C-alpha cells in the first residue's frame, strides 16, 4: 500500500485527474491512498494567506515557509515519510526509472508549488527530491503531480488487471512498446499483421520484439545505448 499526501493550494485541480479510471480503481482496492491537503488550512489570517512578496523586490508572489512547515509537521506526526517531493521545472526530469523507484515506497509527500516559486528554505530543509515533468513551465505543480502520481500508481501490484502489462510498457526495458491491433482484422482493406493472427506465441513474441527495436531505432535512438546492458 502506498500513501501519498499532496500539499496544494488548489486541491480541486487534482480531484478529477486522480479520481477516475486506473487511479480510482487503485484507491478502491486500497492499494493507493491519496490525501489532498489544502495549504490554506495552514495559512494566516482571515484570507488564510500562504504567499507574500519576495525580499529584494521583483514581481510575483512567493510561497511562504511557515504554512508549509506547519502542514508538513502535522503530517509527520502520524507518518514517517520516505521522500518529500517538490514538483518544479528545475528538478530531476521524470522517467520510468524514477516512477519505478518511487512505486516501491510506502509514504510520500508531494508539494505543489505556485506563484513565483517557494521560499528557498523549504527546499533546503524539508524537500528530499525535486522532480520536473519536462522542460516547460506550468502555472503550478498540480498537473505535474497528477502526472507523477499516475505514473507511480499504475505500477503498484494489483492495480492493472493484467499485472504483467506494466512490465511491457514503453521504457520499461529502454524500448518503446510495439504496435497493437484489435478487431476487425481487416478494416477497409487495412490488414492486421498476419503473425498476430497465427496463434504462434513464439513468432508473435519475436515480431513484437523486432517492432519494438525498429520503433526505438527510428523514434528514440538515444534509448538504444542502454539495451543489452543487463
Ligand atoms: N511546475 C511548473 N512547471 C513544472 C514542470 N515542468 N514540472 C514539474 N513541476 C512544475
Amino acid at each position: 500500500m502506498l500513501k501519498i499526501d499532496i500539499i496544494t493550494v488548489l486541491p480541486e485541480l487534482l480531484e478529477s485527474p486522480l479520481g477516475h479510471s486506473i487511479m480510482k480503481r487503485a484507491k478502491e482496492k486500497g492499494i493507493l491512498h491519496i490525501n489532498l491537503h489544502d495549504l490554506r488550512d495552514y495559512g494566516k489570517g482571515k484570507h488564510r494567506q500562504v504567499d507574500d512578496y519576495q525580499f529584494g523586490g521583483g514581481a510575483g508572489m512567493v510561497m511562504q515557509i511557515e504554512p508549509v512547515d506547519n502542514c508538513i509537521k502535522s503530517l509527520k506526526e502520524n507518518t514517517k515519510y520516505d521522500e518529500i517531493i517538490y514538483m518544479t521545472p528545475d528538478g530531476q526530469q521524470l522517467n520510468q526509472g524514477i516512477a519505478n523507484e518511487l512505486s516501491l515506497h510506502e509514504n510520500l509527500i508531494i508539494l505543489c508549488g505556485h506563484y513565483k516559486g517557494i521560499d528557498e528554505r523549504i527546499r533546503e530543509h524539508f524537500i528530499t527530491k525535486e522532480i520536473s515533468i519536462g522542460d516547460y513551465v506550468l502555472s503550478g505543480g498540480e498537473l505535474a503531480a497528477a502526472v507523477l502520481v499516475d505514473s507511480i500508481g499504475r505500477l503498484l501490484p494489483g492495480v492493472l488487471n493484467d499485472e504483467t502489462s506494466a512490465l511491457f510498457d514503453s521504457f520499461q526495458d529502454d524500448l518503446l512498446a510495439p504496435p497493437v491491433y484489435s478487431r476487425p482484422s481487416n478494416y477497409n482493406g487495412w490488414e492486421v499483421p498476419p503473425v498476430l493472427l497465427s496463434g504462434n506465441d513464439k513468432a508473435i513474441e519475436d515480431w513484437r520484439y523486432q517492432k519494438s527495436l525498429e520503433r526505438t531505432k527510428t523514434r528514440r535512438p538515444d534509448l538504444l545505448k542502454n539495451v543489452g546492458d543487463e
Side-chain angles (χ1 to χ4, degrees):
M1 202 268 280
L2 173 63
K3 183 164 82 82
I4 305 181
D5 289 292
I6 306 181
I7 305 172
T8 167
V9 289
L10 285 171
E12 315 81 46
L13 206 52
L14 281 160
E15 270 158 22
S16 178
L18 299 176
H20 296 281
S21 178
I22 288 172
M23 291 305 107
K24 182 175 173 205
R25 197 188 318 146
K27 283 194 255 180
E28 285 169 355
K29 284 185 167 180
I31 299 167
L32 178 64
H33 284 254
I34 299 170
N35 300 309
L36 301 175
H37 303 277
D38 189 343
L39 187 63
R40 284 188 210 283
D41 293 344
Y42 300 85
K44 272 217 175 120
K46 201 172 74 186
H47 298 293
R48 307 196 297 158
Q49 191 184 349
V50 295
D51 61 318
D52 208 340
Y53 296 101
Q54 59 176 311
F55 283 127
M61 304 295 271
V62 173
M63 194 179 268
Q64 294 173 284
I65 188 165
E66 196 175 344
V68 174
D69 186 17
N70 288 336
C71 180
I72 292 178
K73 254 191 210 132
S74 102
L75 293 177
K76 279 184 169 172
E77 274 169 21
N78 305 311
T79 309
K80 201 178 164 331
Y81 289 95
D82 302 298
E83 299 280 9
I84 301 181
I85 300 165
Y86 173 47
M87 303 310 301
T88 174
D90 62 4
Q92 182 184 13
Q93 193 157 321
L94 179 63
N95 58 31
Q96 196 62 44
I98 296 175
N100 288 344
E101 201 182 297
L102 291 174
S103 75
L104 301 174
H105 289 314
E106 286 175 9
N107 294 289
L108 301 172
I109 289 177
I110 301 177
L111 172 63
C112 304
H114 247 273
Y115 317 111
K116 181 84 190 159
I118 66 174
D119 189 307
E120 188 66 17
R121 291 166 295 183
I122 300 172
R123 302 173 73 163
E124 283 169 13
H125 299 287
F126 304 130
I127 299 299
T128 61
K129 209 176 200 39
E130 302 192 323
I131 296 180
S132 161
I133 62 159
D135 287 344
Y136 40 83
V137 178
L138 303 167
S139 6
E142 284 75 15
L143 297 180
V147 168
L148 177 64
V149 171
D150 190 290
S151 74
I152 299 170
R154 60 195 301 288
L155 296 172
L156 301 173
V159 169
L160 296 183
N161 276 338
D162 173 1
E163 251 197 68
T164 58
S165 69
L167 293 176
F168 297 111
D169 284 347
S170 283
F171 306 111
Q172 280 297 9
D173 46 10
D174 285 314
L175 288 177
L176 301 181
V180 293
Y181 299 85
S182 185
R183 284 189 288 186
S185 61
N186 182 334
Y187 186 72
N188 288 345
W190 302 323
E191 306 254 14
V192 167
V195 62
L196 297 178
L197 312 175
S198 70
N200 182 336
D201 290 344
K202 175 76 176 66
I204 292 170
E205 194 187 321
D206 288 348
W207 181 88
R208 286 184 171 150
Y209 183 69
Q210 279 315 314
K211 287 291 167 193
S212 277
L213 265 182
E214 273 171 33
R215 196 158 261 203
T216 313
K217 243 180 233 165
T218 50
R219 295 177 188 217
R220 292 293 306 276
D222 56 300
L223 294 174
L224 280 176
K225 64 183 184 314
N226 301 323
V227 173
D229 278 359
E230 308 84 49

